Amino acid sequence: MKVFLVFAALFSFVYYASSAQTTPRSIGNYSVFTIPFDGDSVTFAVTTPPGKLLQKKPIFLFRQGSLPIPLFEQPTDRPPVLIQLPAACYAHDEYYSITIAKPGLPLVVNSAYVDTLFSTLNNPKAEMYPKKYMECNYLDYYVRQTNAVLDFVLKQPWADPSKVVLTGGSEGYHVAIKTASQNKQVTHLIAFSGNLEGRLQSIIRAERAKAFAGQTSHEEAQRSIEALQQEWAEICRDSLGTERKLGDNYRTTYSFSNGDGLDHLLSLQIPICILYGTADVGATSNDILPLEFARRGKKNLTLKAYPSHDHTFFKLTYDAAGKVSQKTYNGDAVEKDYFDWLAKH
């Protein structure tokens, strides 16, 4: 039995995206649209109830990171909560904030679903990676999704097309950058916690960094890197493969390891804000961006690095032996920084 039916039976609350219906419906305090896309449909949520989509406002569209995480979580004591959106969006109601559902996933789940997903990351359950998600979980699919949603939204009377902010973190970093390079309606780009070179390149950098940090020997790091290089050759031989049942299949890894991020960013004339933690080894590839922009006389980049912050902007404290002794979440301050940047650009 599919895990979604299991959770429906055990926890009695699982919603699926319905067939295309461009009139919004309410889920909690949100407007949820399902529009035609790629012979199927795409669902997205706006942080405003349907009856209040009246005032014309700018758009803030956020593309989330990896993993098959649904849009909404259903707590036991309150209405559904949109979990795939930066918390600071709720304090900035001068925008309509929007996020898009990933393919093949339930739309609303109980907290137990999300807990199970995260508690099985090192031994994931195949049922939580449905076939449609596995087949559609690649960069260009998400770029087309984003373009379709923007095209629909910017035709609505409540959307102000004069300011369209596209934001993405981690996997969404790549989606936002490539979409912005194609879509002339995007006026501002914010991207964070992504490797400029690509996903597999990030893993290779992390393996090398383990040796420099004394977590492994240089010889062992080299063996790991050579194994990754061999894996990449296999991926390239089957770059459209989606048969893998757990984690990222070949198509996903290939698409997010394209290495075109720098070219996409350099093609843009709009204001760009890139943010990352320096303890996020892969994301330190963004260090070269000021050099490349300056080389071409481009001045539309704001780069902000957060020393000792990890991939999800936890501030790391180290002990005398150089090991992490404490983690303190600082994502709220990061979100404030990029909304402050938006107010100035």
Side-chain angles (χ1 to χ4, degrees):
M1 180 179 291
K2 296 291 186 182
V3 74
F4 307 138
L5 299 180
V6 172
F7 276 108
L10 292 178
F11 306 109
S12 71
F13 202 106
V14 177
Y15 289 165
Y16 289 86
S18 62
S19 57
Q21 183 179 357
T22 56
T23 301
R25 64 191 188 278
S26 295
I27 293 183
N29 295 315
Y30 308 92
S31 297
V32 178
F33 293 81
T34 300
I35 62 173
F37 170 70
D38 262 14
D40 192 359
S41 62
V42 58
T43 297
F44 64 93
V46 186
T47 53
T48 304
K52 295 186 178 180
L53 282 172
L54 301 173
Q55 182 182 351
K56 206 177 190 71
K57 295 183 183 181
I59 299 302
F60 182 97
L61 193 153
F62 177 71
R63 291 299 337 216
Q64 63 270 50
S66 58
L67 297 178
I69 303 174
L71 280 188
F72 291 95
E73 180 178 353
Q74 174 63 70
T76 57
D77 57 347
R78 59 188 190 277
V81 178
L82 189 62
I83 56 177
Q84 292 283 46
L85 197 68
C89 290
Y90 297 100
H92 287 274
D93 61 359
E94 69 270 26
Y95 296 93
Y96 287 120
S97 293
I98 296 171
T99 190
I100 304 171
K102 290 196 172 184
L105 302 181
L107 191 58
V108 185
V109 295
N110 278 85
S111 302
Y113 179 100
V114 180
D115 293 344
T116 301
L117 175 64
F118 281 101
S119 67
T120 58
L121 282 180
N122 294 325
N123 183 26
K125 298 180 68 175
E127 298 95 333
M128 304 187 88
Y129 291 75
K131 182 178 180 182
K132 183 176 180 181
Y133 170 79
M134 296 298 280
E135 290 177 345
C136 300
N137 183 36
Y138 62 94
L139 177 59
D140 283 343
Y141 183 90
Y142 291 135
V143 170
R144 294 198 307 273
Q145 258 195 342
T146 310
N147 281 324
V149 169
L150 283 173
D151 182 63
F152 174 84
V153 165
L154 295 177
K155 292 175 181 175
Q156 304 310 305
W158 43 267
D160 180 358
S162 67
K163 192 168 189 178
V164 179
V165 183
L166 182 54
T167 305
S170 191
E171 179 180 278
Y173 164 104
H174 299 282
V175 179
I177 288 173
K178 188 166 185 177
T179 305
S181 74
Q182 297 179 357
N183 194 316
K184 301 304 181 186
Q185 294 176 298
V186 175
T187 64
H188 296 73
L189 171 65
I190 300 169
F192 58 87
S193 297
N195 187 319
L196 184 65
E197 300 162 326
R199 180 174 292 181
L200 196 67
Q201 295 91 322
S202 180
I203 297 171
I204 288 174
R205 276 178 173 257
E207 288 300 313
R208 185 68 75 192
K210 288 178 183 178
F212 287 113
Q215 297 172 2
T216 188
S217 68
H218 284 275
E219 291 76 15
E220 182 58 35
Q222 184 60 31
R223 285 191 290 271
S224 296
I225 289 168
E226 289 174 0
L228 288 165
Q229 291 166 343
Q230 292 173 7
E231 180 182 351
W232 178 247
E234 294 176 9
I235 291 171
C236 290
R237 286 192 289 270
D238 186 19
S239 61
L240 299 180
T242 61
E243 294 306 311
R244 188 172 180 176
K245 294 183 178 180
L246 300 176
D248 291 339
N249 57 44
Y250 282 4
R251 186 172 197 173
T252 300
T253 301
Y254 186 84
S255 72
F256 284 104
S257 304
N258 60 63
D260 295 333
L262 177 59
D263 292 337
H264 294 323
L265 287 170
L266 290 171
S267 73
L268 293 170
Q269 305 303 318
I270 62 175
I272 301 167
C273 182
I274 305 291
L275 311 97
Y276 59 100
T278 64
D280 183 5
V281 174
T284 59
S285 56
N286 291 289
D287 288 343
I288 69 165
L289 283 174
L291 284 65
E292 299 298 336
F293 273 67
R295 188 195 309 276
R296 294 159 178 82
K298 295 177 67 67
K299 298 180 181 180
N300 59 323
L301 172 71
T302 298
L303 189 73
K304 187 167 179 59
Y306 295 80
S308 299
H309 286 60
D310 69 7
H311 187 68
T312 51
F313 295 112
F314 278 82
K315 174 69 179 293
L316 307 182
T317 303
Y318 299 87
D319 61 21
K323 294 184 178 181
V324 176
S325 60
Q326 184 177 348
K327 295 183 178 182
T328 306
Y329 184 65
N330 197 37
D332 293 340
V334 175
E335 292 171 15
K336 181 181 183 302
D337 285 345
Y338 61 68
F339 272 105
D340 286 349
W341 173 83
L342 273 178
K344 299 174 183 176
H345 290 82

